[in-house]
Amino acid sequence: MIKINHLNSCEEDFYVKLSKLLSFNSTEDKSIEQTVESILSDIKVQGDEALIKYTNQLDRINVKRSSELEIPKSKWLEALNSIPENQKKSLELSAARIRKYHEYQKIDTWQYTEDDGTTLGQKISAIDKVGLYVPGGKAAYPSSVLMNAIPAKVAGVPELIITSPTPDGYMNPLVLAAAAICEVDRILTIGGAQAIAALAYGTETIPQVDKIVGPGNAYVASAKKKVFGTVGIDMIAGPSEILIICDGKTPAEWIAMDLFSQAEHDELAQSILLCPDASFIKQVKIAIDKLLPEMPRQEILKKSLSNRGIMIHVKDLEEACDISNRIAPEHLEISIEDPNKILKLIKHAGAIFLGKFTSESLGDYCAGPNHVLPTSRTARFSSPLGVYDFQKRSSLINVSRTGAIKLGKIAVDLALGEGLQAHAASAQYRINGE
Amino acid sequence: MIKINHLNSCEEDFYVKLSKLLSFNSTEDKSIEQTVESILSDIKVQGDEALIKYTNQLDRINVKRSSELEIPKSKWLEALNSIPENQKKSLELSAARIRKYHEYQKIDTWQYTEDDGTTLGQKISAIDKVGLYVPGGKAAYPSSVLMNAIPAKVAGVPELIITSPTPDGYMNPLVLAAAAICEVDRILTIGGAQAIAALAYGTETIPQVDKIVGPGNAYVASAKKKVFGTVGIDMIAGPSEILIICDGKTPAEWIAMDLFSQAEHDELAQSILLCPDASFIKQVKIAIDKLLPEMPRQEILKKSLSNRGIMIHVKDLEEACDISNRIAPEHLEISIEDPNKILKLIKHAGAIFLGKFTSESLGDYCAGPNHVLPTSRTARFSSPLGVYDFQKRSSLINVSRTGAIKLGKIAVDLALGEGLQAHAASAQYRINGE
């Protein structure tokens, strides 16, 4: 029997215990930092030459020219036609649903004109060039290509470049197929910190991009942090989490499997169940023990469930919402009969899965919303990846002759109050006129 | 006569020269980093006690209890009534205009229902608790309080806390007045890295916030970077820049003063003029020499203009737009007769000031749009501070019984393709039903 942490919300030191179980060790590895720094500076200075050197060395391949680091579009289409028909169709259906959902997120340029003819507004434009990092090898995730590429394309990004390493020359055909479906613009077979450096600084053959998104290992994450400012980046994700609030009326095996579907990601992934029904929590534990031996990834499941899993017996569903708000989970399943009843109590969560038929896995792959979500309590202040991450805004200000007199007086007062006389004089010129 | 860098876009090495003039020295000071780290860890561990110790020491005051670190609302209102009537009125008029503009940025919760009853959407909510850092002393900027606090309040942030140091016990009454107008919730007299730490971790008397915004010195910037992840932060601003595209038909003195209004901020501030008319550039230089001796901040102006100022003689206005896009300026003045003619050529800029009557200073204080803007080429991927920085999104997914069958099949295919069997099983349960 697997032992999972069990808490009762009426214990006096409940929040102390909970906060211990939520924390995880995220010490930064100094040796990774140093390796990344020297890779970044080599690529910045030596460009393609260093890029080829690192790529050959780290991915165990033998490339002579930088042009060999690109996969031509014909190969993506070949891959799309080579994968099993059901997977191709599922990728296409999923892409269409993701596209439809994200269309709702698009915002448009707006402006308004005041009585005196002054016009104010906000111009929305897509980011020009975006790099999308896709981890390589056998554990490559085509769904992650869809979730990152589609919002960028919906935003209208004209140049979307995938970089993905090909260790020992292997490229996952599902990733190529997903890229073909998303109509990305280029695919480069580079990875690690060297790929991030090439995208951030540009080389002779790789253009400097404006933003880099996508998941990666510790080297990629460290490189992204270091180039932030030179280019934009998305959030650096922590371990994945699910929190399930259940009234005890969903089949216990469904809940057990939902907890598994988070825990199977990696050993640090966290699965939490909040339920007011003690006997249901027991049933879920029994289901876990029954189902675990059938699972191919049971070694990972055992470690993440026993170290990071938490079952919490709560007073009622309202208290469950309170506790959930403190945790601000990445994924929140409200597996209760009338989920909309308590939805208004939820303040912080990356994605909210409502009702017993909405398993997290449906959202991960094909419901439509993005699966790139804020982890580690950052849902308190950040949002799922979306079209808005690939759009930017410029303020528009066009002050009329009359408006300049009215606004100029205010600006002069405030600028002088702040001791900025040139600001005041510049406004005063417009009051005086030519 | 002041010597300002002069470039001609037809020179062969134009972009090399330009890029040298755009770069600035932003070396990180290791001693600041270390000081900040020890302050952060002291506040995290010792809370109020350490906060009082650092505050007394660094601001040269003598506070005994943490309750003395708060300025009651009555004092803000007192300040509002004590400042000169014209300044009070200008602050209020400016606040009303900023509020009106930012109302347009608000986004709302949306959702749609599919034929099978599946509902998808996005829930928008305000960030719960926000800290706003306001630099202290005589150089405090009330306009900065308006520009940061109003978007937060328009977004609906329920708890907005200003922290501002009071060196030698001095608090700028204009800052208090601006805070009163913006209806912030609390004002704490703490500053530096110790204020950032208190907001990020919370102490016995100061609540942990979810996001920290506002400008600050090198210690504040370093502390904000270090607590990012625990809380959200806004962009760390670089030196301020203005780029003016002029057709030579705006009075030369207006343009000279607009260049001053950027350069007067500090010695690293950058003012750039792009013009196809060589004789107009000469006139602007003459105007600069004539006006400079009258300016109270002439020492700063001389340094920033001679080290960082650039006059560029361009072929035509289209080329000016190209060059501007490479620079992606924080402030872009298009001081030409028909500015809308070339607006569509502009790709990247924080704020765009159109027409000769729209001096940057009008936008800085009272036109309505925000004056917190992306610097150092980050307008390629980021946006002015806005209501959207104080709102966050949660995905909503409510899959119907029928929808679970349709979506479940796609999810099973893709999950098995990625080797995530629990994801597949969890979807399969919903296909099978109870």
Side-chain angles (χ1 to χ4, degrees):
Chain A
M1 253 191 80
I2 180 169
K3 204 171 149 36
I4 301 180
N5 303 293
H6 187 105
L7 296 178
N8 192 314
S9 66
C10 66
E11 293 170 74
E12 225 176 86
D13 54 353
F14 167 68
Y15 278 110
V16 177
K17 282 183 180 163
L18 177 61
S19 120
K20 263 190 202 150
L21 291 171
L22 293 174
S23 70
F24 60 93
N25 204 343
S26 65
T27 46
E28 282 176 12
D29 189 327
K30 287 283 170 201
S31 79
I32 291 183
E33 298 250 333
Q34 280 165 7
T35 306
V36 167
E37 261 173 41
S38 67
I39 294 176
L40 291 180
S41 105
D42 284 354
I43 304 275
K44 195 174 181 178
V45 175
Q46 301 162 33
D48 281 343
E49 191 192 326
L51 182 62
I52 291 172
K53 185 192 81 183
Y54 281 116
T55 302
N56 283 340
Q57 179 191 322
L58 296 168
D59 296 336
R60 300 168 300 279
I61 56 175
N62 187 17
V63 157
K64 300 255 171 352
R65 273 175 302 272
S66 56
S67 60
E68 296 171 55
L69 295 173
E70 179 148 8
I71 304 182
K73 211 168 262 190
S74 57
K75 299 254 176 172
W76 325 346
L77 296 170
E78 228 172 77
L80 181 60
N81 292 321
S82 76
I83 62 172
E85 190 57 31
N86 69 323
Q87 285 191 353
K88 181 184 168 186
K89 210 174 153 208
S90 289
L91 275 176
E92 284 169 344
L93 286 171
S94 169
R97 292 188 60 87
I98 296 168
R99 205 172 285 124
K100 181 180 169 193
Y101 178 87
H102 285 79
E103 286 285 352
Y104 284 82
Q105 291 179 336
K106 259 182 106 160
I107 50 168
D108 292 315
T109 297
W110 51 261
Q111 61 175 41
Y112 59 93
T113 303
E114 301 188 317
D115 292 343
D116 62 21
T118 295
T119 299
L120 300 169
Q122 191 173 261
K123 178 182 168 169
I124 309 294
S125 51
I127 294 178
D128 229 18
K129 293 190 180 67
V130 171
L132 164 51
Y133 190 90
V134 179
K138 312 238 168 192
Y141 293 142
S143 62
S144 166
V145 174
L146 303 185
M147 292 293 182
N148 281 275
I150 292 172
K153 279 297 175 187
V154 170
V157 170
E159 194 166 353
L160 177 59
I161 305 172
I162 283 185
T163 66
S164 187
T166 53
D168 302 308
Y170 177 80
M171 181 73 173
N172 188 317
L174 281 169
V175 164
L176 287 181
I181 289 170
C182 298
E183 300 184 338
V184 308
D185 298 285
R186 296 176 73 180
I187 302 181
L188 303 171
T189 56
I190 53 175
Q194 58 276 20
I196 303 300
L199 292 170
Y201 306 128
T203 69
E204 297 88 326
T205 54
I206 296 171
Q208 182 191 38
V209 302
D210 303 307
K211 187 163 187 168
I212 302 175
V213 299
N217 64 16
Y219 291 87
V220 172
S222 165
K224 277 169 71 181
K225 273 189 206 167
K226 285 183 199 300
V227 300
F228 176 55
T230 302
V231 296
I233 61 167
D234 56 355
M235 273 263 173
I236 308 283
S240 197
E241 325 127 21
I242 191 172
L243 185 148
I244 303 176
I245 297 176
C246 185
D247 56 6
K249 290 171 185 161
T250 306
E253 294 200 347
W254 296 19
I255 297 296
M257 197 55 80
D258 293 355
L259 295 169
F260 283 5
S261 75
Q262 199 56 32
E264 76 175 338
H265 276 296
D266 59 75
E267 296 168 10
L268 276 178
Q270 186 154 49
S271 298
I272 304 172
L273 172 63
L274 273 64
C275 179
D277 179 347
S279 73
F280 182 76
I281 294 180
K282 257 185 219 150
Q283 287 173 46
V284 172
K285 284 184 176 172
I286 291 167
I288 287 175
D289 287 322
K290 183 190 139 204
L291 295 169
L292 197 55
E294 303 165 13
M295 302 308 300
R297 295 169 77 87
Q298 57 182 282
E299 289 312 312
I300 295 172
L301 285 172
K302 274 182 203 160
K303 281 192 186 141
S304 55
L305 286 174
S306 59
N307 293 327
R308 305 264 296 145
I310 319 175
M311 305 284 194
I312 305 177
H313 182 208
V314 294
K315 208 174 68 197
D316 51 35
L317 294 174
E318 286 68 30
E319 190 192 54
C321 293
D322 273 356
I323 296 170
S324 176
N325 285 333
R326 295 228 194 180
I327 295 173
E330 181 191 13
H331 305 94
L332 169 62
E333 258 187 41
I334 306 188
S335 204
I336 70 174
E337 261 182 347
D338 183 2
N340 286 312
K341 226 174 76 181
I342 63 166
L343 178 59
K344 62 179 179 303
L345 299 178
I346 298 300
K347 284 184 176 187
H348 316 296
I352 306 174
F353 303 81
L354 298 153
K356 65 181 169 191
F357 287 106
T358 315
S359 68
E360 188 217 299
S361 58
L362 299 182
D364 282 346
Y365 287 111
C366 55
N370 212 287
H371 77 192
V372 181
L373 297 168
T375 60
S376 313
R377 295 191 71 220
T378 60
R380 292 178 297 130
F381 53 84
S382 57
S383 301
L385 188 74
V387 173
Y388 35 83
D389 290 304
F390 300 99
Q391 292 187 312
K392 61 198 172 63
R393 306 163 176 90
S394 301
S395 308
L396 295 174
I397 312 173
N398 191 336
V399 179
S400 68
R401 172 80 190 88
T402 322
I405 296 171
K406 188 175 76 180
L407 296 182
K409 285 177 186 158
I410 305 176
V412 168
D413 275 345
L414 297 178
L416 293 179
E418 294 186 353
L420 295 173
Q421 296 86 358
H423 282 69
S426 157
Q428 188 64 51
Y429 275 137
R430 273 72 178 189
I431 297 174
N432 301 346
E434 285 173 86
Chain B
M1 252 190 81
I2 181 170
K3 205 171 148 38
I4 300 179
N5 303 293
H6 187 105
L7 297 178
N8 193 315
S9 66
C10 64
E11 294 170 70
E12 225 176 85
D13 52 353
F14 166 68
Y15 277 111
V16 178
K17 282 185 181 162
L18 177 62
S19 120
K20 264 191 201 147
L21 291 172
L22 293 174
S23 71
F24 60 94
N25 205 343
S26 65
T27 46
E28 282 176 14
D29 189 326
K30 287 283 170 201
S31 79
I32 290 182
E33 297 250 334
Q34 280 165 8
T35 306
V36 166
E37 262 174 38
S38 67
I39 293 175
L40 291 180
S41 106
D42 284 354
I43 303 276
K44 195 173 182 179
V45 176
Q46 300 164 35
D48 280 343
E49 191 191 326
L51 182 61
I52 291 172
K53 184 191 81 183
Y54 281 115
T55 302
N56 283 338
Q57 179 191 322
L58 296 167
D59 295 337
R60 300 168 300 278
I61 55 174
N62 186 18
V63 157
K64 300 254 170 352
R65 273 174 303 271
S66 57
S67 60
E68 296 172 55
L69 295 172
E70 179 149 9
I71 304 182
K73 209 167 262 188
S74 57
K75 298 254 177 171
W76 324 347
L77 297 170
E78 227 172 77
L80 181 60
N81 293 321
S82 77
I83 62 172
E85 190 56 31
N86 69 322
Q87 286 191 351
K88 181 183 167 186
K89 209 173 154 208
S90 288
L91 276 176
E92 283 169 343
L93 285 171
S94 169
R97 293 188 61 87
I98 296 167
R99 203 171 287 123
K100 180 180 170 194
Y101 178 88
H102 285 79
E103 286 285 351
Y104 284 83
Q105 292 179 333
K106 260 182 107 160
I107 51 169
D108 292 315
T109 296
W110 51 262
Q111 61 175 41
Y112 61 92
T113 302
E114 302 187 316
D115 291 343
D116 61 22
T118 295
T119 300
L120 300 169
Q122 191 173 263
K123 178 181 166 167
I124 309 294
S125 50
I127 294 178
D128 230 17
K129 292 190 180 68
V130 172
L132 163 52
Y133 191 89
V134 178
K138 311 240 166 188
Y141 293 142
S143 63
S144 166
V145 173
L146 303 186
M147 292 293 183
N148 281 275
I150 292 172
K153 279 296 176 187
V154 169
V157 170
E159 195 166 350
L160 178 60
I161 305 172
I162 283 184
T163 66
S164 187
T166 52
D168 303 307
Y170 177 80
M171 182 73 174
N172 188 318
L174 281 169
V175 164
L176 287 181
I181 289 170
C182 298
E183 299 183 341
V184 307
D185 298 285
R186 296 176 72 179
I187 301 180
L188 303 171
T189 56
I190 54 177
Q194 59 276 19
I196 302 300
L199 292 170
Y201 306 128
T203 69
E204 297 89 326
T205 54
I206 296 171
Q208 182 191 38
V209 301
D210 302 307
K211 186 162 188 169
I212 301 175
V213 299
N217 63 17
Y219 291 88
V220 171
S222 165
K224 276 169 72 181
K225 274 190 204 165
K226 285 181 200 298
V227 300
F228 176 56
T230 302
V231 295
I233 62 167
D234 55 356
M235 273 263 172
I236 308 281
S240 197
E241 324 128 21
I242 191 171
L243 186 149
I244 303 176
I245 297 176
C246 185
D247 56 5
K249 289 171 186 161
T250 306
E253 295 200 346
W254 295 19
I255 297 297
M257 196 56 78
D258 293 355
L259 295 168
F260 284 4
S261 75
Q262 200 56 32
E264 76 175 338
H265 277 296
D266 59 74
E267 295 167 11
L268 277 177
Q270 186 154 49
S271 300
I272 304 173
L273 172 62
L274 273 64
C275 179
D277 179 347
S279 72
F280 182 76
I281 295 181
K282 256 185 219 152
Q283 287 172 47
V284 172
K285 284 185 175 171
I286 292 167
I288 287 176
D289 286 323
K290 184 188 137 205
L291 295 169
L292 197 55
E294 302 165 14
M295 302 308 299
R297 295 168 78 88
Q298 58 182 281
E299 289 314 312
I300 295 173
L301 286 172
K302 275 181 202 160
K303 280 191 186 142
S304 54
L305 287 174
S306 58
N307 294 327
R308 306 265 295 146
I310 319 176
M311 305 284 193
I312 305 178
H313 181 208
V314 294
K315 208 174 66 195
D316 50 35
L317 294 175
E318 287 67 29
E319 190 191 55
C321 293
D322 273 357
I323 296 170
S324 176
N325 284 333
R326 295 228 195 177
I327 296 173
E330 181 191 12
H331 305 93
L332 170 61
E333 259 186 41
I334 307 188
S335 204
I336 70 175
E337 258 181 349
D338 184 2
N340 286 311
K341 226 173 78 182
I342 61 165
L343 179 58
K344 61 179 181 303
L345 300 177
I346 298 300
K347 284 184 176 187
H348 316 295
I352 306 174
F353 303 81
L354 298 152
K356 66 180 169 190
F357 287 106
T358 314
S359 67
E360 187 218 299
S361 58
L362 299 182
D364 283 345
Y365 287 111
C366 55
N370 213 286
H371 78 193
V372 181
L373 297 168
T375 60
S376 314
R377 294 192 70 219
T378 60
R380 291 177 298 131
F381 54 84
S382 57
S383 301
L385 187 75
V387 173
Y388 35 83
D389 290 303
F390 300 100
Q391 292 187 311
K392 61 199 172 62
R393 305 162 176 92
S394 301
S395 308
L396 295 174
I397 313 174
N398 191 336
V399 178
S400 68
R401 172 81 191 86
T402 322
I405 296 172
K406 188 176 75 180
L407 296 182
K409 286 176 185 157
I410 306 175
V412 168
D413 276 345
L414 297 178
L416 293 179
E418 294 186 353
L420 296 173
Q421 295 88 359
H423 282 70
S426 158
Q428 188 64 50
Y429 275 138
R430 273 73 178 190
I431 297 174
N432 302 345
E434 286 172 86

